[in-house]
Amino acid sequence: MSLDGTNSYVLQASGHTSVAVVDPGPLEETHLRALADCGDVELILITHRHADHTAGSARLQELTGAPVRAADPAHCHGGGQPLRDGEVLHPAGVEITVLATPGHTSDSMCFHLPGDGVRGAVLTGDTILGRGTTVLDFPDGTLGSYLATLDRLEALGPATVLPAHGPVLPSLEAVARDYRLHRQDRLNQIRAALDRLGRDATAGEVADAVYADVVPSVRRAAEQSVAAQLHYLRQEAGQAPGR
C-alpha cells in the first residue's frame, strides 16, 4: 500500500540553516532522529491524517521543538495551527502555498513550491503517487472532490511531482490528466458491471467483476475505490448507474 515506504521531505532555501520537514512518516526512531539532524527544524507539515504520514510527527516535535501543522487539528502538535487553503508559508526561506486537495481523504493537502526549479514543484502526499494511482478512502474521501482536485492540480502546469510514495515525476499536469482518464475508464467499467449485475449491486459484487485480478493485500482498497465510484454515480454526479 505504501510502495517503497513514506517519503519524508526536508526543505531549505539556499543560505538558510533552518529546515522544514514534510510528512515525518511512521514512528521509527532512527528515521525521525535523522530528520532532526538535518538542521534546525523550524516547521513540520503533514499532507493528511493517515498513520504512515503522521505517527512520527509528535515524536519529531519532541525532538526538535518545531510545531506540527496539518489540516486536522488532531494532528497539530507543539502549538501548530490547522493549515488553511491558500495560506502562504515561508519556513527556512522556502515559499510554500498550501492547497486543499480532498479526495484521497477529506483533509488531504498539497504544498506548492513555486520557486523550486524553473517550473516549480508540488508535494502531493497521497493525492498523486509516484507509481500507480491512489485509493479514495471512502466515505471520507470522495470521487467528486478528487476530480475537482485533479483539475486544480493540472492548472499548476508542468511542475515537478514530489509524492509521498514512489519516485519523483516530471509533470504534474500530465500526471493529473492521466489520473483523470484512469478514473473515467474505471467509471465506464463500473457502469458496464452494473448493466450486468443490476443497479443495486454492492461494492463487493462490483469489485469482484472490475478488480478480479487484484491480490488479496489490496482487495480492501479496491473495494473502497468501488464504493467511492458507486457513490459518485448514484449521488454526486446525479447519473443513473448503468448509463
Side-chain angles (χ1 to χ4, degrees):
M1 290 293 291
S2 62
L3 301 180
D4 307 308
T6 302
N7 297 330
S8 297
Y9 290 90
V10 178
L11 311 179
Q12 181 187 57
S14 177
H16 287 256
T17 58
S18 62
V19 301
V21 174
V22 179
D23 282 345
L27 186 56
E28 207 291 310
E29 186 73 10
T30 302
H31 177 67
L32 296 173
R33 287 191 176 275
L35 291 174
D37 290 342
C38 285
D40 179 14
V41 180
E42 180 180 335
L43 180 64
I44 302 163
L45 296 172
I46 301 295
T47 58
H48 67 289
R49 61 180 174 78
H50 285 155
D52 56 327
H53 299 255
T54 62
S57 59
R59 175 57 177 155
L60 186 60
Q61 196 281 323
E62 290 178 356
L63 290 171
T64 65
V68 180
R69 300 192 62 189
D72 185 345
H75 296 291
C76 295
H77 305 288
Q81 297 299 307
L83 294 167
R84 304 186 306 276
D85 182 40
E87 183 178 6
V88 180
L89 312 173
H90 294 90
V94 179
E95 181 180 337
I96 303 172
T97 300
V98 177
L99 304 175
T101 52
H104 172 63
T105 61
S106 61
D107 69 329
S108 287
M109 293 293 205
C110 289
F111 303 118
H112 183 207
L113 313 177
D116 186 18
V118 176
R119 297 174 176 174
V122 181
L123 290 145
T124 56
D126 284 5
T127 297
I128 288 181
L129 305 177
R131 289 197 309 276
T133 56
T134 195
V135 173
L136 305 182
D137 193 1
F138 185 80
D140 182 50
T142 63
L143 181 55
S145 58
Y146 189 65
L147 292 174
T149 282
L150 292 178
D151 290 342
R152 186 176 195 186
L153 293 179
E154 183 181 356
L156 295 176
T160 299
V161 178
L162 305 176
H165 304 286
V168 170
L169 299 175
S171 174
L172 181 58
E173 63 179 351
V175 177
R177 282 197 300 267
D178 288 345
Y179 266 46
R180 188 183 300 102
L181 289 172
H182 170 76
R183 293 293 171 184
Q184 294 299 333
D185 286 344
R186 284 298 191 194
L187 284 172
N188 289 335
Q189 292 172 9
I190 288 174
R191 289 187 181 100
L194 291 173
D195 282 340
R196 299 191 304 270
L197 299 170
R199 61 183 299 140
D200 296 324
T202 66
E205 292 168 338
V206 174
D208 286 339
V210 176
Y211 291 89
D213 58 342
V214 301
V215 296
S217 62
V218 296
R219 163 67 194 207
R220 179 177 175 273
E223 196 163 321
Q224 278 185 307
S225 287
V226 168
Q229 290 167 101
L230 288 174
H231 180 269
Y232 177 78
L233 290 173
R234 290 167 172 165
Q235 298 185 38
E236 293 184 77
Q239 300 175 18
R243 293 188 179 180

PDB file of all heavy atoms in Angstrom, residues 200-218:
ATOM      1  N   ASP A 200     -28.485  -2.140  -8.256  1.00  0.00           N
ATOM      2  CA  ASP A 200     -28.332  -2.161  -6.800  1.00  0.00           C
ATOM      3  C   ASP A 200     -27.186  -3.062  -6.336  1.00  0.00           C
ATOM      4  O   ASP A 200     -27.096  -3.396  -5.152  1.00  0.00           O
ATOM      5  CB  ASP A 200     -29.643  -2.631  -6.145  1.00  0.00           C
ATOM      6  CG  ASP A 200     -30.792  -1.658  -6.396  1.00  0.00           C
ATOM      7  OD1 ASP A 200     -30.535  -0.441  -6.416  1.00  0.00           O
ATOM      8  OD2 ASP A 200     -31.933  -2.119  -6.567  1.00  0.00           O
ATOM      9  N   ALA A 201     -26.305  -3.428  -7.239  1.00  0.00           N
ATOM     10  CA  ALA A 201     -25.168  -4.282  -6.872  1.00  0.00           C
ATOM     11  C   ALA A 201     -24.317  -3.616  -5.796  1.00  0.00           C
ATOM     12  O   ALA A 201     -24.168  -2.386  -5.752  1.00  0.00           O
ATOM     13  CB  ALA A 201     -24.320  -4.566  -8.105  1.00  0.00           C
ATOM     14  N   THR A 202     -23.754  -4.429  -4.910  1.00  0.00           N
ATOM     15  CA  THR A 202     -22.928  -3.910  -3.827  1.00  0.00           C
ATOM     16  C   THR A 202     -21.512  -3.622  -4.313  1.00  0.00           C
ATOM     17  O   THR A 202     -21.086  -4.084  -5.381  1.00  0.00           O
ATOM     18  CB  THR A 202     -22.842  -4.915  -2.678  1.00  0.00           C
ATOM     19  OG1 THR A 202     -22.141  -6.084  -3.144  1.00  0.00           O
ATOM     20  CG2 THR A 202     -24.238  -5.315  -2.198  1.00  0.00           C
ATOM     21  N   ALA A 203     -20.774  -2.880  -3.486  1.00  0.00           N
ATOM     22  CA  ALA A 203     -19.375  -2.588  -3.823  1.00  0.00           C
ATOM     23  C   ALA A 203     -18.564  -3.870  -3.936  1.00  0.00           C
ATOM     24  O   ALA A 203     -17.700  -3.999  -4.811  1.00  0.00           O
ATOM     25  CB  ALA A 203     -18.770  -1.664  -2.778  1.00  0.00           C
ATOM     26  N   GLY A 204     -18.835  -4.850  -3.070  1.00  0.00           N
ATOM     27  CA  GLY A 204     -18.118  -6.113  -3.141  1.00  0.00           C
ATOM     28  C   GLY A 204     -18.386  -6.864  -4.428  1.00  0.00           C
ATOM     29  O   GLY A 204     -17.477  -7.428  -5.045  1.00  0.00           O
ATOM     30  N   GLU A 205     -19.651  -6.872  -4.843  1.00  0.00           N
ATOM     31  CA  GLU A 205     -20.007  -7.558  -6.085  1.00  0.00           C
ATOM     32  C   GLU A 205     -19.366  -6.890  -7.296  1.00  0.00           C
ATOM     33  O   GLU A 205     -18.859  -7.557  -8.204  1.00  0.00           O
ATOM     34  CB  GLU A 205     -21.528  -7.591  -6.235  1.00  0.00           C
ATOM     35  CG  GLU A 205     -22.224  -8.486  -5.210  1.00  0.00           C
ATOM     36  CD  GLU A 205     -23.720  -8.291  -5.179  1.00  0.00           C
ATOM     37  OE1 GLU A 205     -24.205  -7.205  -5.610  1.00  0.00           O
ATOM     38  OE2 GLU A 205     -24.412  -9.214  -4.709  1.00  0.00           O
ATOM     39  N   VAL A 206     -19.371  -5.560  -7.296  1.00  0.00           N
ATOM     40  CA  VAL A 206     -18.759  -4.835  -8.407  1.00  0.00           C
ATOM     41  C   VAL A 206     -17.252  -5.017  -8.394  1.00  0.00           C
ATOM     42  O   VAL A 206     -16.616  -5.184  -9.447  1.00  0.00           O
ATOM     43  CB  VAL A 206     -19.148  -3.348  -8.366  1.00  0.00           C
ATOM     44  CG1 VAL A 206     -18.394  -2.559  -9.436  1.00  0.00           C
ATOM     45  CG2 VAL A 206     -20.653  -3.184  -8.555  1.00  0.00           C
ATOM     46  N   ALA A 207     -16.646  -5.013  -7.219  1.00  0.00           N
ATOM     47  CA  ALA A 207     -15.196  -5.221  -7.128  1.00  0.00           C
ATOM     48  C   ALA A 207     -14.809  -6.592  -7.657  1.00  0.00           C
ATOM     49  O   ALA A 207     -13.766  -6.754  -8.308  1.00  0.00           O
ATOM     50  CB  ALA A 207     -14.725  -5.049  -5.693  1.00  0.00           C
ATOM     51  N   ASP A 208     -15.651  -7.593  -7.398  1.00  0.00           N
ATOM     52  CA  ASP A 208     -15.379  -8.935  -7.933  1.00  0.00           C
ATOM     53  C   ASP A 208     -15.306  -8.907  -9.452  1.00  0.00           C
ATOM     54  O   ASP A 208     -14.502  -9.626 -10.063  1.00  0.00           O
ATOM     55  CB  ASP A 208     -16.474  -9.906  -7.494  1.00  0.00           C
ATOM     56  CG  ASP A 208     -16.366 -10.289  -6.029  1.00  0.00           C
ATOM     57  OD1 ASP A 208     -15.272 -10.139  -5.460  1.00  0.00           O
ATOM     58  OD2 ASP A 208     -17.386 -10.723  -5.463  1.00  0.00           O
ATOM     59  N   ALA A 209     -16.135  -8.054 -10.073  1.00  0.00           N
ATOM     60  CA  ALA A 209     -16.191  -8.001 -11.533  1.00  0.00           C
ATOM     61  C   ALA A 209     -15.102  -7.115 -12.128  1.00  0.00           C
ATOM     62  O   ALA A 209     -14.507  -7.451 -13.153  1.00  0.00           O
ATOM     63  CB  ALA A 209     -17.572  -7.498 -11.970  1.00  0.00           C
ATOM     64  N   VAL A 210     -14.828  -5.984 -11.471  1.00  0.00           N
ATOM     65  CA  VAL A 210     -13.929  -4.984 -12.051  1.00  0.00           C
ATOM     66  C   VAL A 210     -12.479  -5.178 -11.602  1.00  0.00           C
ATOM     67  O   VAL A 210     -11.544  -4.908 -12.364  1.00  0.00           O
ATOM     68  CB  VAL A 210     -14.424  -3.562 -11.699  1.00  0.00           C
ATOM     69  CG1 VAL A 210     -13.451  -2.501 -12.195  1.00  0.00           C
ATOM     70  CG2 VAL A 210     -15.812  -3.329 -12.293  1.00  0.00           C
ATOM     71  N   TYR A 211     -12.287  -5.651 -10.378  1.00  0.00           N
ATOM     72  CA  TYR A 211     -10.937  -5.828  -9.826  1.00  0.00           C
ATOM     73  C   TYR A 211     -10.652  -7.302  -9.560  1.00  0.00           C
ATOM     74  O   TYR A 211     -10.029  -7.655  -8.553  1.00  0.00           O
ATOM     75  CB  TYR A 211     -10.789  -5.036  -8.524  1.00  0.00           C
ATOM     76  CG  TYR A 211     -10.786  -3.532  -8.674  1.00  0.00           C
ATOM     77  CD1 TYR A 211     -11.970  -2.813  -8.638  1.00  0.00           C
ATOM     78  CD2 TYR A 211      -9.597  -2.835  -8.847  1.00  0.00           C
ATOM     79  CE1 TYR A 211     -11.979  -1.418  -8.771  1.00  0.00           C
ATOM     80  CE2 TYR A 211      -9.585  -1.457  -8.976  1.00  0.00           C
ATOM     81  CZ  TYR A 211     -10.782  -0.760  -8.937  1.00  0.00           C
ATOM     82  OH  TYR A 211     -10.768   0.612  -9.059  1.00  0.00           O
ATOM     83  N   ALA A 212     -11.074  -8.156 -10.471  1.00  0.00           N
ATOM     84  CA  ALA A 212     -10.938  -9.598 -10.252  1.00  0.00           C
ATOM     85  C   ALA A 212      -9.486 -10.037 -10.139  1.00  0.00           C
ATOM     86  O   ALA A 212      -9.188 -11.079  -9.535  1.00  0.00           O
ATOM     87  CB  ALA A 212     -11.623 -10.350 -11.380  1.00  0.00           C
ATOM     88  N   ASP A 213      -8.554  -9.260 -10.689  1.00  0.00           N
ATOM     89  CA  ASP A 213      -7.157  -9.682 -10.734  1.00  0.00           C
ATOM     90  C   ASP A 213      -6.306  -9.112  -9.605  1.00  0.00           C
ATOM     91  O   ASP A 213      -5.091  -9.351  -9.577  1.00  0.00           O
ATOM     92  CB  ASP A 213      -6.541  -9.280 -12.076  1.00  0.00           C
ATOM     93  CG  ASP A 213      -6.613  -7.778 -12.336  1.00  0.00           C
ATOM     94  OD1 ASP A 213      -7.431  -7.105 -11.667  1.00  0.00           O
ATOM     95  OD2 ASP A 213      -5.881  -7.296 -13.211  1.00  0.00           O
ATOM     96  N   VAL A 214      -6.894  -8.369  -8.669  1.00  0.00           N
ATOM     97  CA  VAL A 214      -6.065  -7.757  -7.621  1.00  0.00           C
ATOM     98  C   VAL A 214      -5.669  -8.802  -6.588  1.00  0.00           C
ATOM     99  O   VAL A 214      -6.402  -9.758  -6.323  1.00  0.00           O
ATOM    100  CB  VAL A 214      -6.788  -6.576  -6.929  1.00  0.00           C
ATOM    101  CG1 VAL A 214      -7.148  -5.502  -7.929  1.00  0.00           C
ATOM    102  CG2 VAL A 214      -8.002  -7.045  -6.161  1.00  0.00           C
ATOM    103  N   VAL A 215      -4.497  -8.592  -5.988  1.00  0.00           N
ATOM    104  CA  VAL A 215      -4.021  -9.507  -4.955  1.00  0.00           C
ATOM    105  C   VAL A 215      -4.783  -9.235  -3.654  1.00  0.00           C
ATOM    106  O   VAL A 215      -5.297  -8.126  -3.438  1.00  0.00           O
ATOM    107  CB  VAL A 215      -2.510  -9.348  -4.742  1.00  0.00           C
ATOM    108  CG1 VAL A 215      -1.761  -9.739  -6.011  1.00  0.00           C
ATOM    109  CG2 VAL A 215      -2.157  -7.931  -4.323  1.00  0.00           C
ATOM    110  N   PRO A 216      -4.876 -10.239  -2.761  1.00  0.00           N
ATOM    111  CA  PRO A 216      -5.663 -10.068  -1.531  1.00  0.00           C
ATOM    112  C   PRO A 216      -5.236  -8.869  -0.682  1.00  0.00           C
ATOM    113  O   PRO A 216      -6.069  -8.254  -0.016  1.00  0.00           O
ATOM    114  CB  PRO A 216      -5.431 -11.386  -0.794  1.00  0.00           C
ATOM    115  CG  PRO A 216      -5.170 -12.379  -1.874  1.00  0.00           C
ATOM    116  CD  PRO A 216      -4.393 -11.621  -2.916  1.00  0.00           C
ATOM    117  N   SER A 217      -3.950  -8.508  -0.704  1.00  0.00           N
ATOM    118  CA  SER A 217      -3.466  -7.433   0.163  1.00  0.00           C
ATOM    119  C   SER A 217      -4.071  -6.072  -0.184  1.00  0.00           C
ATOM    120  O   SER A 217      -4.097  -5.171   0.661  1.00  0.00           O
ATOM    121  CB  SER A 217      -1.938  -7.350   0.105  1.00  0.00           C
ATOM    122  OG  SER A 217      -1.509  -7.044  -1.209  1.00  0.00           O
ATOM    123  N   VAL A 218      -4.530  -5.900  -1.414  1.00  0.00           N
ATOM    124  CA  VAL A 218      -5.122  -4.609  -1.803  1.00  0.00           C
ATOM    125  C   VAL A 218      -6.610  -4.745  -2.128  1.00  0.00           C
ATOM    126  O   VAL A 218      -7.205  -3.817  -2.666  1.00  0.00           O
ATOM    127  CB  VAL A 218      -4.372  -3.978  -2.998  1.00  0.00           C
ATOM    128  CG1 VAL A 218      -2.947  -3.640  -2.627  1.00  0.00           C
ATOM    129  CG2 VAL A 218      -4.400  -4.898  -4.216  1.00  0.00           C
TER     130      VAL A 218
END
